[in-house]
Amino acid sequence: MKLNRKLLVAAKGISVWWGIYLILGCCAGFAVKTIQGLFMAKDTFEIMMYTPLMCAGSLILAVVTYFVNLVVKRAPMKKLRKKLFAIVKSEGFSQQYINTLFDNARGDVKNLLLIEAASAYCLRGEAENASKILDAADLVSILDIARTTGDFRAAAYYYCVKMVLSIIKKDSEGAARAYDDGIYYIDAFSGDDIVMAVLALYQTAAGLYNSAIDTIEKIKWRSLPSHMKKYGRSFAAEIKAKNLLNTGRYDDAIVYARMSLEAPCTEYMASLAEEIIRKAKLENKQQKTEA
């Protein structure tokens, strides 16, 4: 997420807590004023002094509460991520990986983990399972959170998975519809490596081969943990190989397809890379025969 987007999310989160503390502060001030008026002869409560102090104090409390709440929420996710990374490191995107996501899909992270499980099914080529899981995510809640907090990650990922799912099913209209529906959130999160990779895949399906190659070459996979980067690079190499094949650069397509086979995250992805190599070799052979 870009810095300005992170600052906006933080500002919105702090403003919510500030509003809560301001209301509590006003209630406390009113209560003190009322009690003094009823039981004390002399009114010593100064509203002009209380108001700025209450505003400043509530702002400080809001900032502290926001970051404490952030740490508390992230602690279980951090623990879950370590467990998931360990599974991926030893097994790739296995059924155990997906089951672990299911087992923890509850509360504030439910939608995000369901989207992640659907994306794992896409990487395995299991379109029907991916579709069922994505349908289980609450899109209304996802979009509401995006609008109220400014955190577009779940919304952007939701539409990205929707696009990938349509591409796997060879449903070009569905992919275009998912792109159009999610363009606002995708654009806002366009600097994300995963979003860029999906955009390259969408450009590939749309026949924009050179644009897809340009998009892939911009991805650095800096947002992924170190042991996950190889899968990101493999995915990017496979998309690039597909576009090189489509533009008639068969030797280069073979090179990048072989690069993707160095760390395929699933058997399905490996089979796609092998198919690219087969087609590129066949095209090379036909060109030599014609020459």
Side-chain angles (χ1 to χ4, degrees):
M1 193 187 296
K2 294 179 181 178
L3 180 59
N4 61 344
R5 178 62 57 184
K6 289 181 178 178
L7 291 174
L8 179 61
V9 171
K12 285 190 173 184
I14 290 170
S15 67
V16 171
W17 284 110
W18 193 18
I20 292 171
Y21 285 126
L22 281 175
I23 292 170
L24 292 175
C26 289
C27 291
F30 177 77
V32 171
K33 184 74 174 175
T34 302
I35 291 169
Q36 282 194 338
L38 291 173
F39 300 106
M40 297 182 184
K42 186 177 179 181
D43 190 353
T44 59
F45 186 77
E46 294 288 343
I47 290 292
M48 295 300 292
M49 289 292 293
Y50 175 75
T51 300
L53 289 174
M54 184 267 291
C55 289
S58 61
L59 179 58
I60 293 169
L61 279 173
V63 172
V64 172
T65 304
Y66 172 78
F67 285 106
V68 169
N69 189 53
L70 204 62
V71 171
V72 171
K73 282 186 176 181
R74 284 184 176 178
M77 273 300 291
K78 193 173 181 180
K79 185 178 179 180
L80 174 61
R81 285 294 165 203
K82 288 180 70 175
K83 186 176 181 179
L84 290 169
F85 292 157
I87 295 171
V88 171
K89 194 173 181 179
S90 60
E91 305 176 10
F93 292 93
S94 64
Q95 190 60 47
Q96 184 185 353
Y97 175 87
I98 295 171
N99 290 342
T100 303
L101 288 170
F102 287 152
D103 292 342
N104 292 273
R106 55 183 177 272
D108 293 340
V109 298
K110 178 181 178 179
N111 288 320
L112 192 60
L113 294 186
L114 287 175
I115 292 167
E116 191 169 335
S119 68
Y121 272 131
C122 285
L123 289 171
R124 289 158 60 96
E126 299 177 27
E128 291 304 318
N129 286 332
S131 183
K132 289 178 183 177
I133 297 307
L134 198 61
D135 288 343
D138 185 354
L139 181 57
V140 174
S141 175
I142 291 169
L143 298 183
D144 183 57
I145 290 170
R147 291 168 188 146
T148 55
T149 68
D151 186 352
F152 291 172
R153 181 175 57 159
Y157 285 173
Y158 175 88
Y159 285 110
C160 280
V161 175
K162 197 84 171 175
M163 288 161 60
V164 172
L165 189 53
S166 297
I167 291 168
I168 292 173
K169 292 179 176 180
K170 302 188 185 304
D171 178 8
S172 57
E173 290 184 4
R177 189 163 52 250
Y179 178 79
D180 290 340
D181 290 344
I183 185 64
Y184 176 70
Y185 307 102
I186 291 169
D187 275 355
F189 219 65
S190 60
D192 182 80
D193 293 333
I194 296 171
V195 172
M196 287 179 70
V198 173
L199 285 174
L201 188 62
Y202 178 69
Q203 289 168 335
T204 304
L208 305 172
Y209 306 132
N210 289 319
S211 296
I213 291 172
D214 290 340
T215 302
I216 281 295
E217 289 176 346
K218 292 175 185 176
I219 302 174
K220 306 301 179 185
W221 297 110
R222 290 171 182 163
S223 60
L224 293 180
S226 57
H227 58 272
M228 293 282 284
K229 291 182 189 296
K230 62 181 180 180
Y231 298 120
R233 295 191 184 104
S234 173
F235 185 69
E238 188 160 316
I239 295 173
K240 188 170 182 178
K242 178 69 173 177
N243 285 283
L244 289 167
L245 174 67
N246 290 333
T247 53
R249 289 173 276 182
Y250 305 123
D251 289 334
D252 290 337
I254 292 170
V255 170
Y256 278 94
R258 284 175 176 164
M259 285 172 60
S260 72
L261 284 171
E262 292 176 6
C265 51
T266 63
E267 292 181 6
Y268 173 72
M269 296 301 294
S271 69
L272 293 178
E274 289 166 355
E275 181 65 12
I276 292 171
I277 293 171
R278 187 190 68 78
K279 287 182 178 179
K281 285 182 176 180
L282 182 62
E283 292 292 341
N284 262 338
K285 186 176 180 180
Q286 287 179 349
Q287 281 188 346
K288 290 176 182 176
T289 302
E290 290 171 0

